[in-house]
Amino acid sequence: MNGTTTVSADWLRAAVGSVFRGVGFSADAAAQVAESLVEADMCGVASHGTMLLPMYVERLRSGSVSRHERAEVVADTGAVAVLDGRHALGQLTGRQAMDLAVDKAKQFGIGAVTVRHAFHFGRAASYAQQAAAAGCIGLATSNTRPLMPAVGGAEPVVGNNPVAVGVPADDADHAVTLDMALSEAALGKIRMAEAEGRTIPDTWASDADGVPTTDPTAAIAGMLLPTGGPKGFGLALVVDMLTGVLSGGAFGQAVQGLYKDTATPNDCAHFFLAINPEAFGGGFAQRATALGEEVLRSRPRPGVERVLLPGQPEEARRRRAETAGVTLEGSVLEGLRRAADLVGAQLPAADETDLIEEESNVR
């Protein structure tokens, strides 16, 4: 199936959740993972959305991802904890870890939690926003398999390691969510381009010889390029230190790819930080709102309607998708259906309110 189909967010949540229930998760755990994937689609981050479902199911069936629904607490001392993810879905252990970090921040002013033996956790922004919703400044990071070279290097030594920060304010319109991978583009976006037969900008990746390329297939076999050159590389290296090295988990070459061998655990690591602004004195949310307002009221350059805060474009898309529906590429919807068939899950029936619009060419 080519083209796109727009479905209601509720239908998509129910459909994705049914697949995770079919593979053996509780209704609550299945709903948490479904919400994470669908929210990514709603925010316009399709590379972290429903397109991941077939890979998740394949790994669950091969055993490289476990059906545990909670991480094991390895160490818990004051403001710090270390969790063993036991190769469970990262959406489940990530939420658990940030909950713990927030609880510690409320008690000690700050909470830091690492997760080793983890798996892909979706959008890092989700966990930063989780902390911000609880009134804390939140930071979430993860390491990935090496995808980027060092400055002047010709082989990958660090991942495109995402970093997300969530900052609460007086109201949602002034909250800040920074979420970025440290490569110029996420690997998922390149895979999406490959699946759709599109080229990519030559600033996204190089081929296996280090030459910038517009061919997504060559890029997948090659290396991602760091954003900001040496700055992006340096930040990615620090994230590997905070996640794999600090947690006692895998780092560098020990972290495995998501797609190359789905029978081998990904074995990434995560780091979550929550800071309680009240521990530094009152009025933080008001001051954060004031700073945000300065940004929003700043003069835009010619051709730009208005200046936005980090996270606002994604939030606007999410709100719009809640009523207008979620648009999926045909390949993603077909992958959802195949995954459901594979695990014996029954997708919910779609009536005219669920199937909002279809523009497809079935071959």
Side-chain angles (χ1 to χ4, degrees):
M1 176 180 290
N2 296 325
T4 62
T5 300
T6 301
V7 299
S8 73
D10 285 342
W11 182 88
L12 189 56
R13 291 187 190 101
V16 174
S18 71
V19 173
F20 285 108
R21 291 196 305 276
V23 84
F25 286 97
S26 68
D28 181 63
Q32 284 187 49
V33 182
E35 178 62 33
S36 171
L37 297 180
V38 174
E39 181 184 62
D41 286 321
M42 294 171 71
C43 291
V45 191
S47 59
H48 289 61
T50 307
M51 71 164 286
L52 295 170
L53 182 61
M55 182 267 290
Y56 280 18
V57 168
E58 184 177 352
R59 281 185 164 277
L60 284 160
R61 286 167 56 84
S62 72
S64 66
V65 172
S66 74
R67 288 172 175 78
H68 293 301
E69 297 186 2
R70 290 188 65 79
E72 177 184 356
V73 178
V74 176
D76 189 343
T77 307
V80 172
V82 179
L83 305 184
D84 187 326
R86 303 190 290 176
H87 305 297
L89 288 171
Q91 286 86 350
L92 302 177
T93 60
R95 178 162 290 276
Q96 175 190 352
M98 186 55 92
D99 275 340
L100 182 56
V102 168
D103 287 345
K104 289 181 175 297
K106 297 293 186 179
Q107 182 178 359
F108 300 107
I110 194 167
V113 179
T114 60
V115 185
R116 63 195 187 205
H117 304 316
F119 179 65
H120 189 263
F121 65 9
R123 287 176 69 232
S126 298
Y127 311 100
Q129 290 172 330
Q130 179 185 340
C136 290
I137 301 167
L139 182 145
T141 67
S142 176
N143 61 2
T144 76
R145 74 175 175 92
L147 295 165
M148 304 192 302
V151 178
E155 62 180 294
V157 291
V158 295
N160 61 335
N161 306 342
V163 177
V165 179
V167 182
D170 269 346
D171 58 74
D173 291 335
H174 291 85
V176 169
T177 304
L178 173 68
D179 185 8
M180 61 181 186
L182 294 172
S183 59
E184 186 67 18
L187 182 59
K189 290 184 178 180
I190 297 175
R191 292 190 182 280
M192 181 76 76
E194 182 187 44
E196 296 166 11
R198 294 186 285 106
T199 61
I200 60 173
D202 64 4
T203 56
W204 283 14
S206 72
D207 62 19
D209 295 322
V211 179
T213 181
T214 61
D215 180 356
T217 302
I220 291 169
M223 294 177 285
L224 295 178
L225 296 175
T227 188
K231 296 178 182 179
F233 166 74
L235 286 171
L237 184 62
V238 168
V239 169
D240 214 358
M241 297 287 186
L242 288 174
T243 54
V245 176
L246 186 62
S247 72
F251 56 87
Q253 301 293 338
V255 182
Q256 302 300 305
L258 289 174
Y259 289 89
K260 186 174 181 181
D261 179 6
T262 55
T264 299
N266 172 223
D267 206 21
C268 66
H270 304 148
F271 174 77
F272 301 91
L273 179 70
I275 301 170
N276 181 7
E278 294 302 311
F280 295 80
F284 173 83
Q286 293 81 7
R287 295 192 297 274
T289 297
L291 177 57
E293 189 60 25
E294 286 187 16
V295 175
L296 293 172
R297 294 175 63 180
S298 64
R299 180 167 58 91
R301 63 178 170 82
V304 175
E305 181 179 350
R306 64 190 181 100
V307 174
L308 298 174
L309 292 169
Q312 284 191 330
E314 293 82 0
E315 177 60 17
R317 294 188 197 105
R318 188 195 66 77
R319 292 178 182 178
R320 185 164 56 249
E322 199 66 68
T323 55
V326 185
T327 299
L328 300 176
E329 293 292 335
S331 59
V332 174
L333 190 57
E334 185 59 29
L336 169 59
R337 290 168 174 158
R338 286 199 305 268
D341 290 342
L342 194 62
V343 302
Q346 183 68 43
L347 294 183
D351 59 26
E352 63 274 8
T353 62
D354 296 313
L355 185 63
I356 298 172
E357 181 182 0
E358 186 167 12
E359 297 179 2
S360 59
N361 177 24
V362 181
R363 294 181 179 178

